[in-house]
Amino acid sequence: GKMPAKVVMSAAGSDPWTERYRPAKIKDIIGQQGDRSNVNKLLKWLKNWERHNKPGSKPPFNKDDGSHLKAALLSGAPGIGKTTSATVCCRELGFSFVEMNASDARSRRQSSSTCP
């Protein structure tokens, strides 16, 4: 009989396809190219975070875009791109980041020892 084909996996090929094809830039995220897209809003917010959150700074008058807020909460169903969006924005701005999900830390003690 015939011998089955031999499958060789390289180190790069061993990643799940979701990781291999994860968007690397904002322009790679389908449906998020417009100025009013959620990813671009997050990018703008991150870009201006330090300026809006200096000690003594006041929230901008009559501006309800969240620019003066200290944290962003990304929520939604699994698989819609929350982690990818945050990661891509941080990378594009040259920020370092720590990825932490609620399921990763089961107690407040664990999460407080991870974050400074």
Side-chain angles (χ1 to χ4, degrees), residues 41-60:
K41 288 178 185 178
L42 178 62
L43 183 70
K44 181 180 176 184
W45 179 81
L46 282 168
K47 196 181 291 187
N48 295 313
W49 188 90
E50 195 168 349
R51 180 168 49 109
H52 289 298
N53 289 286
K54 288 182 200 171
S57 68
K58 298 196 189 280

Side-chain angles (χ1 to χ4, degrees), residues 10-86:
S10 66
S14 63
D15 290 336
W17 71 268
T18 54
E19 292 300 319
R20 224 177 312 156
Y21 299 107
R22 181 183 294 261
K25 298 177 183 157
I26 288 178
K27 68 179 187 173
D28 297 337
I29 303 174
I30 296 171
Q32 294 295 314
Q33 287 76 27
D35 288 339
R36 297 185 60 179
S37 71
N38 288 328
V39 172
N40 281 313
K41 288 178 185 178
L42 178 62
L43 183 70
K44 181 180 176 184
W45 179 81
L46 282 168
K47 196 181 291 187
N48 295 313
W49 188 90
E50 195 168 349
R51 180 168 49 109
H52 289 298
N53 289 286
K54 288 182 200 171
S57 68
K58 298 196 189 280
F61 177 74
N62 203 17
K63 199 167 186 184
D64 192 25
D65 63 357
S67 58
H68 65 285
L69 299 173
K70 293 185 179 188
L73 176 64
L74 307 182
S75 64
I80 63 167
K82 298 176 296 290
T83 301
T84 297
S85 297

